[in-house]
Amino acid sequence: QVQLVESGGGLVQAGGSLRLSCAASVRTFSSYTMGWFRQAPGKEREFVAAINWNGGSSTYADSVKGRFTISRDNAKNTVDLQMNSLKPEDTGVYVCAARGIVSRIIVTTTRWYDYWGQGTQVTVSS
């Protein structure tokens, strides 16, 4: 069983930055692909970014490319999401996800991931 706990959300003005972190309680964190998703009120959960087991491969949603950066620290069992140049449309609950796979392949659909955190709220004011 994998437990994921997100932190770092908050209220920020448009153009500002936030750094989210997800801590995983699992012995073999380096065997998991990690992802970030977000869900705005009244909308479906959508993919934001993901990184493979060793950080050698990552992918981003078109809407965040060039503004967000995903990274991981396998020694600390954490995956971070650095969010810059935030826009009001980035507002939502950001959720960390995990799938136990050692591969360069990253899938961006929610059904591919096995474990989910509770999420952290990000609000960007205009």
Side-chain angles (χ1 to χ4, degrees):
Q1 190 71 10
V2 178
Q3 291 187 324
L4 305 173
V5 179
E6 302 92 340
S7 62
L11 173 64
V12 64
Q13 289 187 335
S17 299
L18 280 176
R19 188 176 183 91
L20 305 183
S21 186
C22 172
S25 61
V26 61
R27 292 177 61 185
T28 57
F29 179 72
S30 60
S31 299
Y32 285 78
T33 289
M34 302 299 297
W36 284 98
F37 290 74
R38 67 187 181 191
Q39 187 164 17
K43 295 187 177 180
E44 291 188 353
R45 185 170 290 182
E46 66 173 0
F47 172 77
V48 175
I51 189 167
N52 78 325
W53 66 284
N54 66 350
S57 178
S58 60
T59 190
Y60 298 88
D62 288 343
S63 59
V64 307
K65 279 181 183 176
R67 299 188 298 122
F68 291 11
T69 303
I70 189 170
S71 60
R72 66 187 297 157
D73 186 335
N74 285 347
K76 296 181 179 180
N77 282 20
T78 58
V79 58
D80 291 350
L81 185 68
Q82 177 65 44
M83 306 186 296
N84 299 329
S85 302
L86 283 162
K87 305 175 181 180
E89 51 263 44
D90 293 318
T91 294
V93 176
Y94 282 69
V95 185
C96 180
R99 177 180 171 113
I101 184 169
V102 177
S103 172
R104 286 189 59 84
I105 297 174
I106 297 175
V107 179
T108 62
T109 57
T110 57
R111 65 180 63 183
W112 191 73
Y113 291 83
D114 299 316
Y115 304 99
W116 296 85
Q118 294 297 312
T120 185
Q121 176 69 45
V122 171
T123 303
V124 184
S125 62
S126 57

